[in-house]
Amino acid sequence: MLSEKKIFDWKYKGYLVNNILSQNDVDEINNELSNLRIQRNKKDSSWGEYGIYSHPHKESELILKYFGHPKVIEILETILNNKIEGIQSLAYFKPPGELGRDAHQDSFYTESGWGNSINVIFCLDDSDQSNGCLWSYESSHFLPILPIEIDEERIKTNPTFWKNERGKGCVMPQNHNFKKIYHECKSGDVLFTHDYLVHGSEDNNSKNYRRSIVMSYKTIKSKLRQGGQMKREPFDVYEIRKKHWNL
């Protein structure tokens, strides 16, 4: 069960963190993602050695397994007050020197509506400001979907096939007083972020990686934009839980 503080964080700050993954979980996810990345790069080098990996759950039963993690599903049902389904996954390797992600709101892309979708970030390395941790504007999930500002030069820093990391940041209201929070997480932590929360990440200026996998969910029957790049498709996480976790 979630503590009152964590429920408060979710309702009023737009995020919560819980330590869910064991060291064995972290190790097997990292090993699987490394193998997937190496195999992909043998077939197609255009993503770069450590480029973002889109939908690894579609290629790996082990990665798919974690979409059905019982503790994750329990937390999601509690904070969303609804049944849920999976929609997409993205793996980040974030080696030293990797640039960060511009400010954005996830529902700008999914169009699922306020509080109907959520990103669940499995932290696979310790993260802090030096290696490019996630940041957010606390309580900014109470804002509407914000306008986007295009920066053509920064867009050029994106991977060839992925144009949404940089150069399309959302614009915060003038003279806002939302506090910028740096989510310094431990390996094994899982960070839940509201779909309207304004967030991004810093550049990795350290000698360490900041690996993570983002698994996205939405409430049953809520709207979903498929997307030209992601081509999101809802799927049943309860069947995954039953198959892999015997629940």
mmCIF file of all heavy atoms in Angstrom, residues 149-175:
data_model
loop_
_atom_site.group_PDB
_atom_site.id
_atom_site.type_symbol
_atom_site.label_atom_id
_atom_site.label_comp_id
_atom_site.label_asym_id
_atom_site.label_seq_id
_atom_site.Cartn_x
_atom_site.Cartn_y
_atom_site.Cartn_z
ATOM 1 N N GLU A 149 7.517 25.571 -28.527
ATOM 2 C CA GLU A 149 8.411 26.507 -29.214
ATOM 3 C C GLU A 149 9.441 25.705 -30.007
ATOM 4 O O GLU A 149 10.140 24.854 -29.450
ATOM 5 C CB GLU A 149 9.106 27.416 -28.205
ATOM 6 C CG GLU A 149 9.964 28.498 -28.838
ATOM 7 C CD GLU A 149 10.498 29.472 -27.797
ATOM 8 O OE1 GLU A 149 11.382 29.063 -27.017
ATOM 9 O OE2 GLU A 149 10.018 30.620 -27.761
ATOM 10 N N ILE A 150 9.517 25.975 -31.300
ATOM 11 C CA ILE A 150 10.431 25.231 -32.180
ATOM 12 C C ILE A 150 11.806 25.892 -32.210
ATOM 13 O O ILE A 150 11.926 27.113 -32.389
ATOM 14 C CB ILE A 150 9.857 25.155 -33.614
ATOM 15 C CG1 ILE A 150 8.485 24.487 -33.607
ATOM 16 C CG2 ILE A 150 10.822 24.413 -34.535
ATOM 17 C CD1 ILE A 150 8.488 23.056 -33.138
ATOM 18 N N ASP A 151 12.849 25.107 -32.025
ATOM 19 C CA ASP A 151 14.234 25.555 -32.131
ATOM 20 C C ASP A 151 14.902 24.685 -33.197
ATOM 21 O O ASP A 151 15.293 23.548 -32.927
ATOM 22 C CB ASP A 151 14.932 25.406 -30.781
ATOM 23 C CG ASP A 151 16.373 25.910 -30.781
ATOM 24 O OD1 ASP A 151 17.002 25.954 -31.865
ATOM 25 O OD2 ASP A 151 16.890 26.237 -29.693
ATOM 26 N N GLU A 152 14.998 25.212 -34.404
ATOM 27 C CA GLU A 152 15.486 24.425 -35.539
ATOM 28 C C GLU A 152 16.909 23.919 -35.334
ATOM 29 O O GLU A 152 17.240 22.799 -35.748
ATOM 30 C CB GLU A 152 15.410 25.250 -36.829
ATOM 31 C CG GLU A 152 13.998 25.639 -37.259
ATOM 32 C CD GLU A 152 13.161 24.446 -37.695
ATOM 33 O OE1 GLU A 152 13.726 23.340 -37.842
ATOM 34 O OE2 GLU A 152 11.931 24.624 -37.867
ATOM 35 N N GLU A 153 17.750 24.717 -34.698
ATOM 36 C CA GLU A 153 19.134 24.285 -34.482
ATOM 37 C C GLU A 153 19.205 23.130 -33.480
ATOM 38 O O GLU A 153 19.950 22.178 -33.668
ATOM 39 C CB GLU A 153 19.990 25.459 -33.989
ATOM 40 C CG GLU A 153 20.284 26.488 -35.068
ATOM 41 C CD GLU A 153 20.993 25.871 -36.269
ATOM 42 O OE1 GLU A 153 22.001 25.164 -36.070
ATOM 43 O OE2 GLU A 153 20.526 26.091 -37.402
ATOM 44 N N ARG A 154 18.400 23.214 -32.437
ATOM 45 C CA ARG A 154 18.417 22.153 -31.434
ATOM 46 C C ARG A 154 17.785 20.872 -31.975
ATOM 47 O O ARG A 154 18.195 19.767 -31.602
ATOM 48 C CB ARG A 154 17.694 22.609 -30.168
ATOM 49 C CG ARG A 154 17.869 21.641 -28.992
ATOM 50 C CD ARG A 154 17.664 22.328 -27.674
ATOM 51 N NE ARG A 154 17.580 21.395 -26.558
ATOM 52 C CZ ARG A 154 18.613 20.807 -25.957
ATOM 53 N NH1 ARG A 154 19.853 21.051 -26.383
ATOM 54 N NH2 ARG A 154 18.431 19.982 -24.934
ATOM 55 N N ILE A 155 16.831 21.001 -32.875
ATOM 56 C CA ILE A 155 16.230 19.818 -33.503
ATOM 57 C C ILE A 155 17.298 18.972 -34.195
ATOM 58 O O ILE A 155 17.210 17.739 -34.233
ATOM 59 C CB ILE A 155 15.128 20.235 -34.499
ATOM 60 C CG1 ILE A 155 13.869 20.671 -33.737
ATOM 61 C CG2 ILE A 155 14.782 19.099 -35.460
ATOM 62 C CD1 ILE A 155 12.761 21.193 -34.631
ATOM 63 N N LYS A 156 18.324 19.629 -34.705
ATOM 64 C CA LYS A 156 19.392 18.927 -35.418
ATOM 65 C C LYS A 156 20.195 17.986 -34.515
ATOM 66 O O LYS A 156 20.926 17.132 -35.010
ATOM 67 C CB LYS A 156 20.333 19.933 -36.081
ATOM 68 C CG LYS A 156 19.685 20.754 -37.186
ATOM 69 C CD LYS A 156 20.645 21.800 -37.734
ATOM 70 C CE LYS A 156 19.974 22.671 -38.794
ATOM 71 N NZ LYS A 156 20.882 23.744 -39.282
ATOM 72 N N THR A 157 20.069 18.154 -33.200
ATOM 73 C CA THR A 157 20.802 17.286 -32.269
ATOM 74 C C THR A 157 20.066 15.982 -31.996
ATOM 75 O O THR A 157 20.589 15.117 -31.281
ATOM 76 C CB THR A 157 21.048 18.004 -30.920
ATOM 77 O OG1 THR A 157 19.797 18.190 -30.230
ATOM 78 C CG2 THR A 157 21.705 19.357 -31.139
ATOM 79 N N ASN A 158 18.860 15.804 -32.559
ATOM 80 C CA ASN A 158 18.085 14.592 -32.345
ATOM 81 C C ASN A 158 18.644 13.422 -33.149
ATOM 82 O O ASN A 158 19.302 13.611 -34.166
ATOM 83 C CB ASN A 158 16.629 14.814 -32.767
ATOM 84 C CG ASN A 158 15.852 15.637 -31.764
ATOM 85 O OD1 ASN A 158 15.823 15.317 -30.591
ATOM 86 N ND2 ASN A 158 15.218 16.703 -32.230
ATOM 87 N N PRO A 159 18.342 12.191 -32.713
ATOM 88 C CA PRO A 159 18.665 11.030 -33.547
ATOM 89 C C PRO A 159 17.931 11.124 -34.886
ATOM 90 O O PRO A 159 16.890 11.787 -34.988
ATOM 91 C CB PRO A 159 18.144 9.846 -32.723
ATOM 92 C CG PRO A 159 18.046 10.361 -31.326
ATOM 93 C CD PRO A 159 17.719 11.809 -31.432
ATOM 94 N N THR A 160 18.439 10.440 -35.883
ATOM 95 C CA THR A 160 17.874 10.511 -37.227
ATOM 96 C C THR A 160 16.386 10.193 -37.264
ATOM 97 O O THR A 160 15.609 10.866 -37.928
ATOM 98 C CB THR A 160 18.629 9.543 -38.164
ATOM 99 O OG1 THR A 160 20.016 9.864 -38.148
ATOM 100 C CG2 THR A 160 18.105 9.672 -39.588
ATOM 101 N N PHE A 161 15.975 9.160 -36.525
ATOM 102 C CA PHE A 161 14.592 8.704 -36.608
ATOM 103 C C PHE A 161 13.748 9.087 -35.393
ATOM 104 O O PHE A 161 12.670 8.547 -35.188
ATOM 105 C CB PHE A 161 14.553 7.179 -36.787
ATOM 106 C CG PHE A 161 15.253 6.722 -38.021
ATOM 107 C CD1 PHE A 161 16.381 5.932 -37.946
ATOM 108 C CD2 PHE A 161 14.803 7.113 -39.276
ATOM 109 C CE1 PHE A 161 17.045 5.514 -39.093
ATOM 110 C CE2 PHE A 161 15.456 6.698 -40.430
ATOM 111 C CZ PHE A 161 16.577 5.907 -40.347
ATOM 112 N N TRP A 162 14.254 10.019 -34.597
ATOM 113 C CA TRP A 162 13.500 10.393 -33.394
ATOM 114 C C TRP A 162 13.654 11.892 -33.168
ATOM 115 O O TRP A 162 14.673 12.358 -32.711
ATOM 116 C CB TRP A 162 14.020 9.616 -32.188
ATOM 117 C CG TRP A 162 13.236 9.877 -30.939
ATOM 118 C CD1 TRP A 162 13.638 10.583 -29.839
ATOM 119 C CD2 TRP A 162 11.901 9.459 -30.665
ATOM 120 N NE1 TRP A 162 12.654 10.624 -28.909
ATOM 121 C CE2 TRP A 162 11.570 9.935 -29.386
ATOM 122 C CE3 TRP A 162 10.954 8.729 -31.381
ATOM 123 C CZ2 TRP A 162 10.320 9.705 -28.802
ATOM 124 C CZ3 TRP A 162 9.715 8.493 -30.797
ATOM 125 C CH2 TRP A 162 9.418 8.973 -29.524
ATOM 126 N N LYS A 163 12.621 12.650 -33.490
ATOM 127 C CA LYS A 163 12.708 14.100 -33.525
ATOM 128 C C LYS A 163 12.075 14.806 -32.332
ATOM 129 O O LYS A 163 11.981 16.026 -32.321
ATOM 130 C CB LYS A 163 12.055 14.625 -34.820
ATOM 131 C CG LYS A 163 12.699 14.111 -36.099
ATOM 132 C CD LYS A 163 14.165 14.499 -36.193
ATOM 133 C CE LYS A 163 14.782 14.064 -37.516
ATOM 134 N NZ LYS A 163 16.230 14.379 -37.569
ATOM 135 N N ASN A 164 11.632 14.058 -31.317
ATOM 136 C CA ASN A 164 10.899 14.688 -30.229
ATOM 137 C C ASN A 164 11.708 14.915 -28.955
ATOM 138 O O ASN A 164 11.171 15.415 -27.973
ATOM 139 C CB ASN A 164 9.658 13.854 -29.886
ATOM 140 C CG ASN A 164 8.613 13.911 -30.976
ATOM 141 O OD1 ASN A 164 8.515 14.898 -31.690
ATOM 142 N ND2 ASN A 164 7.846 12.846 -31.129
ATOM 143 N N GLU A 165 12.990 14.547 -28.959
ATOM 144 C CA GLU A 165 13.787 14.732 -27.747
ATOM 145 C C GLU A 165 14.103 16.210 -27.500
ATOM 146 O O GLU A 165 13.977 16.709 -26.397
ATOM 147 C CB GLU A 165 15.098 13.945 -27.848
ATOM 148 C CG GLU A 165 14.946 12.458 -27.674
ATOM 149 C CD GLU A 165 14.541 12.064 -26.275
ATOM 150 O OE1 GLU A 165 15.341 12.217 -25.340
ATOM 151 O OE2 GLU A 165 13.399 11.595 -26.117
ATOM 152 N N ARG A 166 14.516 16.888 -28.557
ATOM 153 C CA ARG A 166 15.006 18.251 -28.392
ATOM 154 C C ARG A 166 14.513 19.156 -29.521
ATOM 155 O O ARG A 166 14.293 18.715 -30.645
ATOM 156 C CB ARG A 166 16.545 18.244 -28.349
ATOM 157 C CG ARG A 166 17.098 17.557 -27.106
ATOM 158 C CD ARG A 166 18.601 17.465 -27.127
ATOM 159 N NE ARG A 166 19.081 16.486 -28.098
ATOM 160 C CZ ARG A 166 19.180 15.177 -27.858
ATOM 161 N NH1 ARG A 166 18.825 14.692 -26.690
ATOM 162 N NH2 ARG A 166 19.635 14.359 -28.780
ATOM 163 N N GLY A 167 14.357 20.426 -29.168
ATOM 164 C CA GLY A 167 13.973 21.421 -30.171
ATOM 165 C C GLY A 167 12.483 21.669 -30.282
ATOM 166 O O GLY A 167 12.052 22.470 -31.109
ATOM 167 N N LYS A 168 11.689 20.996 -29.428
ATOM 168 C CA LYS A 168 10.234 21.198 -29.434
ATOM 169 C C LYS A 168 9.729 21.326 -27.999
ATOM 170 O O LYS A 168 8.709 20.752 -27.628
ATOM 171 C CB LYS A 168 9.527 20.031 -30.135
ATOM 172 C CG LYS A 168 9.884 19.869 -31.600
ATOM 173 C CD LYS A 168 9.129 18.684 -32.208
ATOM 174 C CE LYS A 168 9.486 18.484 -33.670
ATOM 175 N NZ LYS A 168 8.766 17.316 -34.253
ATOM 176 N N GLY A 169 10.453 22.087 -27.203
ATOM 177 C CA GLY A 169 10.102 22.213 -25.796
ATOM 178 C C GLY A 169 8.839 23.016 -25.574
ATOM 179 O O GLY A 169 8.520 23.927 -26.347
ATOM 180 N N CYS A 170 8.100 22.659 -24.514
ATOM 181 C CA CYS A 170 6.904 23.441 -24.197
ATOM 182 C C CYS A 170 7.311 24.704 -23.440
ATOM 183 O O CYS A 170 8.369 24.769 -22.814
ATOM 184 C CB CYS A 170 5.891 22.613 -23.415
ATOM 185 S SG CYS A 170 6.436 22.065 -21.795
ATOM 186 N N VAL A 171 6.475 25.719 -23.522
ATOM 187 C CA VAL A 171 6.784 27.042 -22.972
ATOM 188 C C VAL A 171 6.005 27.253 -21.678
ATOM 189 O O VAL A 171 4.768 27.248 -21.680
ATOM 190 C CB VAL A 171 6.436 28.142 -23.983
ATOM 191 C CG1 VAL A 171 6.804 29.519 -23.420
ATOM 192 C CG2 VAL A 171 7.150 27.897 -25.309
ATOM 193 N N MET A 172 6.734 27.419 -20.594
ATOM 194 C CA MET A 172 6.097 27.675 -19.296
ATOM 195 C C MET A 172 5.520 29.093 -19.257
ATOM 196 O O MET A 172 6.010 30.000 -19.945
ATOM 197 C CB MET A 172 7.114 27.502 -18.176
ATOM 198 C CG MET A 172 7.540 26.068 -17.937
ATOM 199 S SD MET A 172 6.220 25.053 -17.221
ATOM 200 C CE MET A 172 6.158 25.683 -15.545
ATOM 201 N N PRO A 173 4.465 29.296 -18.459
ATOM 202 C CA PRO A 173 3.887 30.648 -18.332
ATOM 203 C C PRO A 173 4.929 31.644 -17.834
ATOM 204 O O PRO A 173 5.807 31.294 -17.038
ATOM 205 C CB PRO A 173 2.772 30.459 -17.293
ATOM 206 C CG PRO A 173 2.469 28.998 -17.308
ATOM 207 C CD PRO A 173 3.750 28.305 -17.647
ATOM 208 N N GLN A 174 4.831 32.866 -18.289
ATOM 209 C CA GLN A 174 5.762 33.905 -17.842
ATOM 210 C C GLN A 174 5.620 34.131 -16.341
ATOM 211 O O GLN A 174 4.529 34.078 -15.791
ATOM 212 C CB GLN A 174 5.498 35.218 -18.585
ATOM 213 C CG GLN A 174 5.985 35.223 -20.021
ATOM 214 C CD GLN A 174 5.903 36.599 -20.646
ATOM 215 O OE1 GLN A 174 5.194 37.462 -20.145
ATOM 216 N NE2 GLN A 174 6.620 36.808 -21.732
ATOM 217 N N ASN A 175 6.749 34.365 -15.697
ATOM 218 C CA ASN A 175 6.796 34.688 -14.269
ATOM 219 C C ASN A 175 6.183 33.592 -13.385
ATOM 220 O O ASN A 175 5.664 33.869 -12.301
ATOM 221 C CB ASN A 175 6.092 36.027 -13.990
ATOM 222 C CG ASN A 175 6.687 37.163 -14.796
ATOM 223 O OD1 ASN A 175 7.899 37.290 -14.911
ATOM 224 N ND2 ASN A 175 5.821 37.991 -15.386
#
